[in-house]
Amino acid sequence: MTSRKFSPSDSVILGFDPGKDKCGVAVMGLDRQLQYHEVVSSEEAIAIIGDLYKKYPISLLVMGNQTTSKRWKQQIEEKLSPTVNIILVDERYSSLEARDRYWQMYPPKGLTKLLPKGMRTPPRPIDDIVAILLIERYLNRLTE
């Protein structure tokens, strides 16, 4: 299968994992091709989401449905636009799943390889990987 170039006319989904201190953001096409992912500070999150809306043809923002989601949803609508289409997705167990996904994306090297899987701790925050998983959970719901 040949990988095709990303076209600006392709519709993409923005995944957002809000947090008190840091947030995860990810942009993925409907073809499940990852375009962007990053962990950002909570203070910068809304501005970065705004920048991503300018850079990508985002049709939907998918966000976790837990504790702070209502407040974040309101902030996004106030600061960006009330027309931003936001869907809340069940985010239970996403942090555990993100830890496993981290090691799939970035296989362990050196001594870390020798540690049992459950004892490995990613060397950086993985909120962006949670954002990726939220998009995938949304897409999986569509295809079930």
Side-chain angles (χ1 to χ4, degrees):
M1 189 170 113
T2 58
S3 70
R4 61 184 190 81
K5 271 306 253 172
F6 177 72
S7 161
S9 64
D10 291 344
S11 183
V12 297
I13 298 173
L14 185 136
F16 181 54
D17 177 39
K20 193 167 75 78
D21 302 316
K22 60 189 174 3
C23 300
V25 288
V27 176
M28 182 184 286
L30 298 176
D31 58 0
R32 295 181 186 249
Q33 290 298 306
L34 189 59
Q35 302 298 326
Y36 169 91
H37 63 103
E38 185 178 17
V39 176
V40 300
S41 76
S42 295
E43 296 87 52
E44 298 175 305
I46 303 264
I48 288 170
I49 289 171
D51 291 345
L52 291 171
Y53 265 89
K54 290 177 191 136
K55 186 174 180 185
Y56 296 98
I58 295 167
S59 58
L60 181 65
L61 187 149
V62 175
M63 182 168 67
N65 65 352
Q66 297 298 303
T67 342
T68 60
S69 61
K70 282 190 177 73
R71 187 172 49 88
W72 276 102
K73 184 177 189 286
Q74 186 180 355
Q75 280 183 353
I76 291 167
E77 289 171 344
E78 282 170 11
K79 294 192 171 114
L80 294 180
S81 165
T83 60
V84 170
N85 193 4
I86 299 174
I87 300 263
L88 297 179
V89 175
D90 183 5
E91 66 175 302
R92 282 178 297 185
Y93 311 113
S94 57
S95 295
L96 278 172
E97 197 179 326
R99 209 166 86 170
D100 289 342
R101 177 66 63 87
Y102 175 87
W103 294 115
Q104 287 172 6
M105 292 170 73
Y106 308 100
K109 294 175 173 52
L111 293 175
T112 312
K113 266 207 293 213
L114 303 175
L115 283 173
K117 202 170 156 188
M119 291 180 69
R120 292 182 198 145
T121 304
R124 67 164 183 83
I126 54 172
D127 307 69
D128 57 333
I129 297 173
V130 172
I132 293 168
L133 293 171
L134 293 174
I135 297 170
E136 290 175 351
R137 285 180 180 190
Y138 171 75
L139 291 172
N140 289 343
R141 260 187 11 205
L142 292 182
T143 56
E144 280 173 358

